[in-house]
Amino acid sequence: MDIATHKGTITNKQLLLAVACFIFGSTLQSSFSIGVTKQDTWIVVITGFIVGAIVALICLTLSSKFPGKTIIEINEIVYGKVIGKVVSSLYIFVIFSSVYLNTRDVGNFIVRDTMPQTPLAAILIIFIFVCAFAVNKGIVAIVRLGFLFFLLYIIALIISIILLLNNMNFSYFSPSFTLPIMNYVQGTHIIGLIPFGEVYIFMMIYPSVDKNCKVKKSVLSGMLIAAIAMLIIAIRDWSVLGSTATIFKLPTYQTVSVIEVGETLSRAEALFSISFVVLLFFKISVMYYALMIAFAQIFNIKSYKPLTYIVGIISICLSILIYDSVSENAYFAPNIAPTYVTFFAVVLPILALLIAKARGIGRKRGCT
Amino acid sequence: MKNSIGKMLKICLSLLLCLALSGCWNSRELDSLAIVMGYAIDKSDEEGLVDMTAQVAVLSDGGSSDNSSSSSNTASSEAYWNITRTGSSIFTILRDYTHESSRKLYSPHNQVIIFGNDLAKNGIRDYLDFFLRDHETRLNVWILVAKDKASDILDVKPKLEKIPAIGLSDLIEDQKATSETVQIRIRDFLERLISDTTASIAPLVEVIGEGKDQIVEMSGTAVFKQDKLVGELNKTETRGLLWVLSKVNSGIITVEAPGGTADLEIVSTETQVNVEILDDGSITAHVKITESGNIGSQTGSGDLSKTDNVKILEQNMNDAITAEVFSAVEKAKELDADIFGFGDMFYKKYPQQWKSMKENWDELFNEIKVEVEVDAKLRGSGRIVKPAYPAEEE
């Protein structure tokens, strides 16, 4: 299998589910904005989706100008060999940091909420090696899991809603639209760019899709499904926890811990945390795969496989070293990370589009 | 051949992974745990310190079911063990227990947290923090306030259960039948604690009787201003509060009936509260209660199946419920504590005006005019239609 081109291996339906699962993987992190937007979090989920869809459209337009090319290859075509490699290495940097930041989130979640005495490294090593194994099997294998994970996630969501119906109080949502306008802007920025904007990483994967023309539709419908699920989760969490949601680190996790049916069914959050971790595995595997393809293309290597485990070990080290404390993590995620993503998912693609237009390269319009 | 050996090896390896499912560093076996059923927190005699009592369930060795039948271990071995230590904070005391207990305390099955009266008067926020923060504690534990010392409550052996804390948590569940006690989980307490104006509430418990006849009784509601205990509601006032909160589940109201009295059982209720700022700047809260009930029992000879008599009963019921609500409102104004959450309702309905109202809410709350509208309906009269009197000639 030729890694560099990798054409015609994923169907559009698989891409749709992969995009949805990729965003589901951020559910735990969607709480970033709850402290900022409080009872109006559901509003910024909607506006965030719109912003995210625009971001995805920009990336998709760029990709469709150069069918069959990843962003790394596009960079080389647009900027020329030398500057192209420089820009590409910036992309490697940001995808790499996405991989190890998300890995750290998994580690934090498991250590904090279920196994407090287990060293972070023990969990990260096991986790990254499973991801590396999946990445070596290729994107087709990863994406095939999408359907399974999608079902798992939707079923867990529906069950949690049914079991929580009793605890929901919709009066928590009023008054709406009363926060300072900047809170909505920041909330939209966070939601729009962290779960939705990260879809720009799929620019590494579009070339593997079977019918390249329908990519736009698949990606957007995948994002729409994920947005609906996130909206439901935002409403569920706030209607159960109310203003207390603002003091919890992971409101989504606290919400499912509220579930109590009679005396028999309680303490079920461990079951739900499985779905969080599994979805994060999917998200990280996709990012990890994108990273490996980027490495292979920038260094002109035939196969990325020998590098996978090395990159995995480096990301374990980085994810342990990256934060000294929880508060650094809590500050970085909502305040700095969205700005990073803005640069790579909005500014650079637009720049590339403009240069391509000025130089008159790339396909003019649509698919054939 | 070589291939199939490789396959077998892979299968064995993946089966071995199951061993890791219990976790490695944090695996804890049942026989190494001291399962805590309840905590009681009191102010210590020494300034600035607290006494915390943990009630640990003592698990019998030979299984739980045959414990009662074997007469050999009766009085000597209790089903629980209370440990009390003194310290500056909950977490330090919790670790301090290891000096006495051979097993580390395990909190996820904790049922109740009881605060002593003296401690509650000085504020309990600092002591709740640990229970909210720790990963082992649960958010559905019951919060109680003792009328006197909290540790006394955990010393009273219940008549029906083996462990006081479990007896207490069952007791709280039972309170639905009368709706004369609030049921507050740590989650509910937290919600009121982080509200700007709404006062926290918690059920009160006290020990009644002497020596062997001691029992624990639920006796009304403790009212907090922020996190400091400021007063209490009696049982009638508590139900008045619950009417407004729409939390009345059941209960008995005795009213006058033609020819005697009637005990009416509350079957279902619904309350809608509508707050308003009138043109002249005064504020009102309109409480609309819809209730339906049954005749549970009656005294005297009145025929309560007649429409006229039912009307009278319903009217009396309306008056009784209104009186309960007003008793709660008066007490709340006396304590200066917004236990009903009217402040939050104004914030929800008038977010703009609320900004200025928030500053002097204490005064505004005293001026709020509460209107009560009750629509009580009698739905049933039980198995008989008339009391057991000889038939009258008409």
Side-chain angles (χ1 to χ4, degrees), chain B residues 269-322:
Chain B
T269 70
E270 204 196 316
T271 306
Q272 282 170 331
V273 183
N274 189 16
V275 291
E276 253 179 308
I277 302 176
L278 299 179
D279 295 336
D280 59 351
S282 64
I283 53 174
T284 62
H286 187 83
V287 182
K288 187 173 189 307
I289 300 166
T290 326
E291 186 265 354
S292 68
N294 289 330
I295 301 172
S297 65
Q298 78 168 101
T299 62
S301 61
D303 182 354
L304 298 186
S305 61
K306 282 184 183 153
T307 334
D308 295 345
N309 288 346
V310 169
K311 283 248 164 67
I312 295 172
L313 278 182
E314 285 176 352
Q315 187 52 48
N316 289 349
M317 185 81 166
N318 285 352
D319 295 343
I321 293 173
T322 311

Side-chain angles (χ1 to χ4, degrees), chain B residues 240-254:
Chain B
L241 165 66
L242 289 175
W243 281 117
V244 179
L245 299 180
S246 197
K247 292 241 172 85
V248 174
N249 280 299
S250 185
I252 309 298
I253 295 182
T254 304

Side-chain angles (χ1 to χ4, degrees), chain B residues 192 198-199 240-241 244-245 325 328-329 332 337-343 345 365:
Chain B
R192 283 167 170 259
T198 309
L241 165 66
V244 179
L245 299 180
V325 174
V329 171
D338 181 9
I339 47 179
F340 308 100
F342 287 146
M345 291 177 202
F365 178 68

Side-chain angles (χ1 to χ4, degrees), chain B residues 350-368:
Chain B
Y350 302 99
Q352 296 307 321
Q353 287 95 319
W354 176 247
K355 281 171 197 149
S356 59
M357 287 168 74
K358 201 166 96 179
E359 310 298 312
N360 47 358
W361 176 246
D362 278 356
E363 292 144 46
L364 284 171
F365 178 68
N366 259 313
E367 288 161 22
I368 191 168

Side-chain angles (χ1 to χ4, degrees), chain A residues 291-327:
Chain A
L291 178 66
M292 294 322 297
I293 290 288
F295 269 126
Q297 289 180 342
I298 202 169
F299 296 120
N300 289 326
I301 315 169
K302 264 246 166 64
S303 164
Y304 61 80
K305 282 182 187 176
L307 285 176
T308 315
Y309 285 94
I310 300 169
V311 171
I313 291 165
I314 296 173
S315 39
I316 293 169
C317 300
L318 286 173
S319 58
I320 294 172
L321 293 173
I322 183 71
Y323 300 125
D324 283 335
S325 72
V326 198
S327 53

Side-chain angles (χ1 to χ4, degrees), chain A residues 180-193:
Chain A
I181 195 86
M182 276 317 287
N183 288 25
Y184 296 102
V185 175
Q186 197 192 348
T188 307
H189 192 204
I190 296 169
I191 300 262
L193 289 157

